[in-house]
Amino acid sequence: MVELLNSNANDIEKKSDLFSDNDGSNWFEEEIDVDLKWSFALNGMLHRGKSEYQDIALLDTKRFGKVLVIDGKMQSAEMDEFIYHECLIHPPLLCHPNPRTVFIMGGGEGSAAREALRHKTIENVIMCDIDQEVVDFCRRHLTANYDAFRNKKLNLVINDAKAELEKKGEKYDVIVGDLADPVEGGPCYQLYTKSFYQNVVKPKLNHHGIFVTQAGPAGVFTHTEVFSSIYNTIKHVFNHVIAFTAHVPSFADTWGWVMASDEPLCIDSAKLDARIAERVEGELLYLNGSSFYSSTILNKTVANTLKNETHVYTEENARFIPGHGLLDFKN
């Protein structure tokens, strides 16, 4: 639950995602699970709003800079979002022999598109997000992505990603799942299912095509929530599947991604470094060949779980991330 704790009142009043401590400092608090919360000291709230689908807030935090919060869950932080987005975008584009077209499911904040557009071979990036207001909000307020939103190679589509892929005749070199976590009652969990991967995503990939998706928390204590299931589900659809992880400080956890193709995936560090030098504009802040290769070597606990996982994600047998909460913007 997301609360406002008013230090001047006798009772705790549930009012918003902010609370004040005894010295008057403002904090944002997110419930990760029923017995675990994650708090950020704030300089202030920069913007807040509500779309047809979601509650949206942009907070100015003392530790992580601007933080985008949707439905009470932090989506990305200015100081370390490059870790998440470099890991999401560059491995599939670097593993592909000559990527020209990219379809991003979700990605409304524009950071995934920003990273894809850094590749010199890219001719067309389709970013398909269901929420026009989130896209407009991020285009106005996230200054790091101004250039990406103005890039002529970016084609922005407001639609459900599944519906958009189904109605289009085009195929793509890389399809990216930059989706919200699967939460109970949320709009995205159907896009983590075997039927979606098999019947919608895979037929829309060109030869040598690669699919990648964010796959939720992947820490020692959290990887069984959805990460292992998403990995196992994708293994039932594609011939070659790689799971990899990285620590994202603002998420207070290790995060997971899954990359898949019907063709072998090259993760040789020297070859990846050569492709980074040849293809990518500017310097990557987090990823190089060695760090990506090392990210595919999972600790014993997580590796054993992935090896032995039997759950296949379906609409009827879904797993969900715990601890989500809606923002309540009352004053």
Side-chain angles (χ1 to χ4, degrees):
M1 203 63 186
V2 185
E3 300 176 341
L4 173 65
L5 308 185
N6 187 342
S7 59
N8 296 320
N10 293 324
D11 300 321
I12 295 175
E13 182 180 6
K14 295 177 181 179
K15 295 182 72 173
S16 79
D17 60 316
L18 305 179
F19 72 88
S20 300
D21 61 18
N22 290 332
D23 68 1
S25 297
N26 289 319
W27 292 73
F28 165 72
E29 183 176 90
E30 177 183 331
E31 181 183 282
I32 297 174
D33 211 333
V34 292
D35 58 356
L36 184 64
K37 294 181 179 180
W38 181 225
S39 298
F40 304 84
L42 299 181
N43 294 315
M45 177 178 283
L46 299 176
H47 192 83
R48 64 190 188 188
K50 185 178 180 66
S51 75
E52 178 184 353
Y53 302 98
Q54 300 161 115
D55 293 298
I56 316 161
L58 187 65
L59 309 178
D60 181 12
T61 70
K62 294 181 183 293
R63 175 60 64 95
F64 295 111
K66 293 178 183 176
V67 166
L68 178 65
V69 177
I70 294 180
D71 280 350
K73 297 289 286 183
M74 193 186 70
Q75 303 300 306
S76 69
E78 182 180 28
M79 294 298 292
D80 65 5
E81 57 86 6
F82 66 90
I83 301 173
Y84 171 93
H85 289 105
E86 286 189 14
C87 288
L88 175 70
I89 294 297
H90 296 294
L93 268 67
L94 294 169
C95 288
H96 193 283
N98 187 30
R100 297 184 180 277
T101 56
V102 178
F103 187 98
I104 300 170
M105 301 185 293
E109 70 177 272
S111 298
R114 179 197 70 214
E115 293 301 317
L117 289 164
R118 297 176 66 180
H119 284 251
K120 298 173 185 177
T121 63
I122 292 300
E123 298 172 354
N124 188 21
V125 175
I126 297 92
M127 186 179 86
C128 181
D129 197 284
I130 197 171
D131 199 329
Q132 178 77 64
E133 292 186 49
V134 168
V135 173
D136 290 343
F137 178 94
C138 294
R139 183 158 37 190
R140 287 194 304 270
H141 297 287
L142 300 183
T143 57
N145 298 333
Y146 280 172
D147 289 341
F149 278 113
R150 292 197 296 263
N151 194 302
K152 293 181 180 179
K153 296 179 181 180
L154 177 66
N155 289 287
L156 175 61
V157 178
I158 304 300
N159 197 4
D160 173 79
K162 180 176 182 290
E164 187 67 19
L165 283 171
E166 286 176 331
K167 80 175 186 179
K168 293 291 186 181
E170 293 89 345
K171 294 187 176 184
Y172 307 95
D173 296 321
V174 175
I175 296 178
V176 177
D178 188 16
L179 301 162
D181 296 326
V183 295
E184 192 165 10
C188 290
Y189 78 91
Q190 298 95 334
L191 305 188
Y192 291 94
T193 60
K194 180 184 177 183
S195 62
F196 177 66
Y197 296 145
Q198 185 169 278
N199 300 328
V200 180
V201 171
K202 188 172 180 177
K204 294 299 182 178
L205 286 169
N206 288 321
H207 181 58
H208 288 294
I210 298 175
F211 170 64
V212 68
T213 184
Q214 80 90 12
V220 169
F221 301 119
T222 55
H223 68 281
T224 57
E225 292 173 0
V226 294
F227 178 57
S228 60
S229 175
I230 292 170
Y231 170 77
N232 186 59
T233 302
I234 293 173
K235 277 188 66 179
H236 279 73
V237 177
F238 290 91
N239 293 333
H240 302 275
V241 181
I242 294 174
F244 54 102
T245 66
H247 179 68
V248 181
S250 63
F251 289 176
D253 206 346
T254 300
W255 214 254
W257 299 264
V258 179
M259 180 169 64
S261 179
D262 279 342
E263 300 296 322
L265 294 162
C266 172
I267 59 172
D268 179 83
S269 59
K271 290 182 179 178
L272 292 178
D273 280 335
R275 287 182 175 180
I276 290 171
E278 177 186 357
R279 297 181 183 181
V280 179
E281 299 276 3
E283 291 289 328
L284 298 184
L285 297 176
Y286 180 80
L287 205 69
N288 58 19
S290 296
S291 65
F292 175 66
Y293 178 78
S294 67
S295 75
T296 67
I297 303 172
L298 307 179
N299 67 67
K300 183 178 179 180
T301 297
V302 176
N304 282 342
T305 299
L306 266 60
K307 179 181 178 181
N308 296 316
E309 181 63 81
T310 60
H311 182 264
V312 175
Y313 208 106
T314 68
E315 289 88 345
E316 298 77 25
N317 192 27
R319 289 181 180 176
F320 300 108
I321 296 285
H324 71 290
L326 295 178
L327 295 176
D328 183 12
F329 291 131
K330 297 177 182 176
N331 293 318

